[in-house]
Amino acid sequence: VSGAVAQINLQGPRSRELLARLTDNDIGEDAYPFRTFAELSIGYARVKCARITYVGELGYELFIPTEQTVQVYEHIRATAAEHGIALQHAGLKALNSLRMEKGYRDFGHDIDNTDELAAVGLTFTCDWAKPGGFRGQHAADAQRSAPKTSRLVQVLLEDPHPFLFHGEVVKRDGVALGTVRSGSYGHSLGGAVGLAMVTAPEGASVSPAWLRDGSWTVDVA
C-alpha cells in the first residue's frame, strides 16, 4: 500500500458471494484457491486481489489504484445492499482482535527473526521436501525434532473485564516464565486474548501435558 495504491478487505463467510457479484472473473474454489493473487475487474477499476485472510474466515484483500478507490468502495456498498448482504465496517483494531482469537502470528509484533519456527508453531510454512533443501534447513530440522523449551502460546483471561496490551508477565504455578507479546480483546470469546512466549524451567519442556497441568496466571496492571 502506497500513495498510489489503497486497500479494501472483504472478509467473512459471504465475502466470496459478494465478490462474485462485483466481478466477471471466476473466483470459485477451484479457480481461485487460497493464496491466489490475480487482477480482477471491479466496476471501472483493475484491482489486484489476494485471497487471504487474517481474521479466521474466508476473505480477500483488494489493492486498488488510489484514484479509483472511492468508486470501488461505493460499488461494493451498492452491490451488497442490492443483494441483501449486510456489510459491517471494521478497522485494524477489529482485525487484530479476530486474528488474536485465531492465533494468527504478526511478524514484528508476536514474532521476529530471532525466533525458531518450531517455537512459534510455523514449521508447516516450510517445504521440508524442497529439492536441494533451503538455507538453514539443517538447523531448523534439529529444532523441529528437539524438545521445545520455549513456545508461543495463546492466552485467554477468564475475567472479562481486564485488557491485555503487551509485556504482562505470565506465570505457571506462581513462577514467572514469560510475557505477553501482543494482546487484544476477544469479543467472540468474552475476554482479553494474547500471544505469549513461555520458557520452561531447566530440565522441562513445553509440551501439551506441561501446559495443561500447570496453574496459569497473568499479571495485569
Side-chain angles (χ1 to χ4, degrees), residues 167-171 175-180 196-199 216:
E168 293 88 354
V169 176
V170 179
K171 297 179 179 179
V175 179
L177 296 178
T179 58
V180 173
M197 181 64 79
V198 296
T199 300
W216 293 90

Side-chain angles (χ1 to χ4, degrees), residues 23-189:
T23 182
D24 292 331
N25 298 77
D26 185 357
I27 60 161
E29 180 65 35
D30 294 334
Y32 219 90
F34 181 65
R35 296 187 71 181
T36 296
F37 188 84
E39 194 170 75
L40 308 178
S41 293
I42 298 180
Y44 299 111
R46 295 294 292 171
V47 173
K48 292 181 172 62
C49 173
R51 182 184 159 188
I52 200 76
T53 180
Y54 206 35
V55 303
E57 290 274 9
L58 177 68
Y60 304 86
E61 295 182 351
L62 307 178
F63 299 91
I64 311 160
T66 300
E67 68 275 11
Q68 295 176 311
T69 303
V70 172
Q71 177 264 128
V72 170
Y73 167 74
E74 291 177 345
H75 185 43
I76 290 171
R77 291 192 63 188
T79 302
E82 179 184 354
H83 296 283
I85 300 173
L87 290 182
Q88 179 68 52
H89 289 79
L92 287 175
K93 287 295 185 180
L95 184 149
N96 192 53
S97 170
L98 291 166
R99 71 101 178 171
M100 283 287 188
E101 292 184 343
K102 193 69 173 179
Y104 286 164
R105 279 67 166 138
D106 185 352
F107 188 84
H109 291 271
D110 322 321
I111 61 175
D112 60 28
N113 62 336
T114 65
D115 290 314
E116 299 175 2
L117 283 174
V120 297
L122 292 178
T123 54
F124 71 93
T125 63
C126 283
D127 183 0
W128 301 97
K130 180 180 178 180
F134 57 85
R135 183 174 296 180
Q137 182 168 354
H138 179 73
D141 262 327
Q143 294 164 357
R144 181 172 59 152
S145 58
K148 308 297 181 292
T149 56
S150 295
R151 182 78 181 188
L152 192 70
V153 298
Q154 287 176 272
V155 174
L156 170 64
L157 298 187
E158 294 179 342
D159 184 339
H161 300 294
F163 200 89
L164 289 176
F165 296 93
H166 69 274
E168 293 88 354
V169 176
V170 179
K171 297 179 179 179
R172 182 183 187 273
D173 298 334
V175 179
L177 296 178
T179 58
V180 173
R181 288 192 170 182
S182 56
S184 187
Y185 197 87
H187 296 274
S188 300
L189 301 176

